């Protein structure tokens, strides 16, 4: 009977699940931020590439 009562009071499994859920939530947040920053950075490099492509043309008459 004591073993059953001790098992019912044990919260280590619940704590592990809570830590797992917190880690999963943090992971999802990090992934979404990195994806957003990556897309923004890609657009910025695309604009720079487009600007540099036009700047490298030789002037007419040379």
């Amino acid at each position: 009977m004591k073993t059953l009562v001790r098992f019912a009071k044990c919260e280590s499994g619940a704590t592990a699940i809570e830590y797992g859920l917190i880690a999963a939530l943090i992971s999802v947040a990090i992934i979404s931020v990195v994806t957003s920053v990556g897309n923004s950075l890609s657009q910025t490099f695309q604009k720079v590439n487009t600007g540099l492509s036009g700047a490298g043309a030789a002037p007419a008459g040379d």
Side-chain angles (χ1 to χ4, degrees):
M1 185 67 175
K2 287 182 180 182
T3 305
L4 187 59
V5 171
R6 192 171 27 159
F7 178 75
K9 288 183 179 182
C10 183
E11 296 181 2
S12 63
T15 303
I17 291 172
E18 290 170 358
Y19 283 133
L21 290 173
I22 291 170
L25 182 64
I26 291 171
S27 298
V28 168
I30 289 172
I31 289 169
S32 63
V33 168
V34 168
T35 300
S36 176
V37 170
N39 289 337
S40 177
L41 190 60
S42 176
Q43 290 173 358
T44 301
F45 277 119
Q46 188 62 36
K47 288 178 185 176
V48 170
N49 186 25
T50 302
L52 290 175
S53 295
D62 281 341

